[in-house]
Amino acid sequence: MRYASTHKERTHQRIIEVAGRLFKERGIDATGVALVMSEAKLTNGAFYAHFASKEALVEEVIADQLRSQLELFQDAPDDLSGLEVIAREYLSPEHRDSCGSGCPSAALLDELIRRSEPTRQAYSDGLVRIIDTLQEHLPRRSPEEAKSLVLALVGLLVGTLQVARAVTDRGLSNSVLESGLAAALTLMKSPWPDASESLAQATS
Amino acid sequence: MRYASTHKERTHQRIIEVAGRLFKERGIDATGVALVMSEAKLTNGAFYAHFASKEALVEEVIADQLRSQLELFQDAPDDLSGLEVIAREYLSPEHRDSCGSGCPSAALLDELIRRSEPTRQAYSDGLVRIIDTLQEHLPRRSPEEAKSLVLALVGLLVGTLQVARAVTDRGLSNSVLESGLAAALTLMKSPWPDASESLAQATS
DNA sequence: TGTACATCAGTGAACGCGCGTTCACTGATGTAC
DNA sequence: TGTACATCAGTGAACGCGCGTTCACTGATGTAC
């Protein structure tokens, strides 16, 4: 072998990680293959020795990003306090201010909705795994309750972070994060209603 | 006048509305000026008689979209039941399945974060107006509580809709919508905690 | 041990294409006299 | 009333540019004999 047997594999992984950061910082469409390769200290041409197309890269990046996010969540304690730690870190100003190293869902969600079937499937599979993992933090609830709560929390965290990033007023942005966190903590300790119940019925 | 005095103005507005739909369906970067103009039954060249650049169109589209969204919310009753109606319609399968005619935040949020300063400002201004309007649905709460709750609800609705759109499994997608709605209703009737309070403290 | 050849990750110039943008022009209709 | 000109929303071909992709090549190192 002219290179170490792991050489190409490591280059491949480096491209995926660099692309992940650039996609999250700049958007997928706005990040060219040439830029990804130059940031990975390579030239254009080498790209197609690693990936069949840009979309194939996108698909691998998404799978890789969701795997990383899953591992991050798995580091937290396996109970309700772990879920609180996750929410606090997720809705922190630091996470808001670092798209490139942050959650792929918050950075790419509505771009992903419009991409190829395999890419969307890669995202969806990764998200299902994350949901399953988060559910394990709620052993005191029934599986149905736990799953429903986790789904709502995922939506809340992702949406709140995005809104906090979009708003131009820094003070308002901080309020968005704090409000989202307060809501997350409220949900974690609330009894879980049936969604078919209306507010009027529930409060009367 | 060779045309009715309102002719150009109406064409201008038609371009903005067509572009709004296309941007939300396909993404901003992925929607070319030529496509927008042909869908508006015009040719390329007329574009620059109406807008200084594509980004100027984006800015006007965003302002227009948030104005429409605000009007939609203003149609609901001015109390807590109105907020429930809004949440139910927002998290409906119909809204999930119609990006083009739906909420601009859900369709474009993370693309907006990366656009020009004036475009982001247009979005931010529109969102602030929406938040102020939604707050009026909560006369029973203190202004601080009402604002915090509304901010969290906005994050929850936007994030939940995006996740429901991204997930490839239809059953899971429906569960996401139902869970998000259940969470929204729970938040509307819960007492509002201080975000600095931790879950451990609150539950012990 | 020395030489010819095979391997293959990476190089870098080139390709066609669609993008945002420009511009000379059209043609319908109003105004001047 | 008739004719020459002005107005201006819209036309459609063309521009340079950067994109994703292709391909003939390089050069370091392994293998054959």
Side-chain angles (χ1 to χ4, degrees):
Chain A
M1 284 263 184
R2 294 124 301 265
Y3 293 86
S5 63
T6 59
H7 179 91
K8 190 172 183 184
E9 199 183 326
R10 289 200 297 122
T11 301
H12 189 91
Q13 187 59 26
R14 191 170 79 248
I15 296 169
I16 287 174
E17 283 165 17
V18 166
R21 175 173 57 78
L22 291 171
F23 287 170
K24 290 189 291 180
E25 279 171 0
R26 309 163 48 94
I28 298 173
D29 279 349
T31 304
V33 167
L35 177 62
V36 171
M37 293 306 275
S38 86
E39 293 266 310
K41 309 286 182 205
L42 291 163
T43 50
N44 279 355
F47 182 83
Y48 293 87
H50 287 279
F51 304 96
S53 65
K54 184 184 178 182
E55 194 61 31
L57 168 67
V58 173
E59 190 185 330
E60 286 202 47
V61 166
I62 294 305
D64 180 71
Q65 287 288 323
L66 270 89
R67 218 177 295 124
S68 300
Q69 190 69 32
L70 177 64
E71 282 164 21
L72 191 71
F73 286 163
Q74 282 171 336
D75 288 346
D78 217 21
D79 58 11
L80 193 55
S81 80
L83 211 52
E84 180 177 343
V85 169
I86 286 171
R88 285 189 183 278
E89 285 178 0
Y90 198 99
L91 297 178
S92 67
E94 292 71 31
H95 190 191
R96 175 195 60 200
D97 298 335
S98 55
C99 282
S101 58
C103 173
S105 295
L108 299 173
L109 237 185
D110 51 47
E111 217 171 342
L112 283 175
I113 291 166
R114 304 174 190 113
R115 299 212 79 90
S116 73
E117 240 295 291
T119 299
R120 297 189 56 210
Q121 194 60 54
Y123 177 77
S124 205
D125 291 348
L127 188 63
V128 166
R129 247 171 266 126
I130 286 175
I131 289 163
D132 288 345
T133 296
L134 291 179
Q135 252 184 277
E136 292 166 15
H137 291 81
L138 297 164
R140 310 275 288 278
R141 303 212 186 222
S142 74
E144 294 75 27
E145 265 197 347
K147 177 151 191 178
S148 189
L149 174 51
V150 165
L151 292 178
L153 283 173
V154 167
L156 175 61
L157 297 192
V158 170
T160 299
L161 188 61
Q162 287 186 9
V163 172
R165 283 174 174 166
V167 151
T168 53
D169 181 80
R170 183 49 67 110
L172 179 57
S173 176
N174 290 337
S175 297
V176 169
L177 292 178
E178 283 164 27
S179 303
L181 182 57
L185 299 181
T186 299
L187 291 174
M188 287 182 209
K189 66 188 179 196
S190 290
W192 201 247
D194 195 300
S196 62
E197 240 180 272
S198 96
L199 195 57
Q201 292 168 324
T203 51
S204 66
Chain B
M1 284 262 183
R2 294 124 300 265
Y3 293 86
S5 63
T6 59
H7 178 91
K8 190 174 183 182
E9 199 182 328
R10 290 200 298 121
T11 302
H12 190 90
Q13 187 60 27
R14 192 170 78 249
I15 296 170
I16 287 174
E17 282 164 17
V18 165
R21 177 174 55 78
L22 290 171
F23 287 170
K24 290 190 290 181
E25 278 170 1
R26 311 165 45 95
I28 298 173
D29 279 348
T31 304
V33 167
L35 176 63
V36 171
M37 294 305 277
S38 86
E39 293 267 310
K41 309 284 181 208
L42 292 163
T43 51
N44 281 354
F47 183 82
Y48 293 87
H50 286 280
F51 303 96
S53 64
K54 184 184 176 181
E55 194 62 31
L57 168 66
V58 173
E59 190 183 330
E60 286 203 47
V61 166
I62 293 304
D64 180 70
Q65 287 288 322
L66 270 89
R67 218 177 295 123
S68 300
Q69 189 69 33
L70 177 64
E71 283 164 20
L72 190 72
F73 286 163
Q74 282 170 337
D75 289 345
D78 218 21
D79 58 10
L80 193 56
S81 81
L83 211 52
E84 179 177 345
V85 169
I86 287 171
R88 285 190 183 277
E89 284 178 0
Y90 198 98
L91 296 178
S92 68
E94 292 71 31
H95 190 191
R96 175 194 60 198
D97 298 335
S98 55
C99 283
S101 57
C103 173
S105 295
L108 299 172
L109 237 184
D110 51 48
E111 218 172 341
L112 283 175
I113 292 166
R114 305 174 190 112
R115 298 212 79 91
S116 74
E117 240 295 292
T119 299
R120 297 189 57 210
Q121 195 61 54
Y123 176 77
S124 205
D125 291 349
L127 189 62
V128 166
R129 246 170 269 127
I130 286 175
I131 288 164
D132 288 346
T133 297
L134 291 178
Q135 252 183 275
E136 293 167 14
H137 291 79
L138 296 163
R140 310 275 288 279
R141 303 213 185 220
S142 74
E144 294 75 25
E145 265 196 344
K147 176 149 193 182
S148 189
L149 174 52
V150 165
L151 292 178
L153 283 173
V154 167
L156 176 62
L157 297 192
V158 170
T160 298
L161 189 61
Q162 287 186 15
V163 172
R165 282 173 175 168
V167 151
T168 52
D169 180 81
R170 182 49 68 111
L172 179 58
S173 176
N174 290 336
S175 298
V176 169
L177 292 178
E178 284 165 25
S179 302
L181 182 57
L185 299 182
T186 299
L187 290 174
M188 286 181 209
K189 66 188 178 193
S190 290
W192 201 246
D194 194 299
S196 61
E197 236 180 277
S198 95
L199 194 58
Q201 292 169 326
T203 51
S204 67

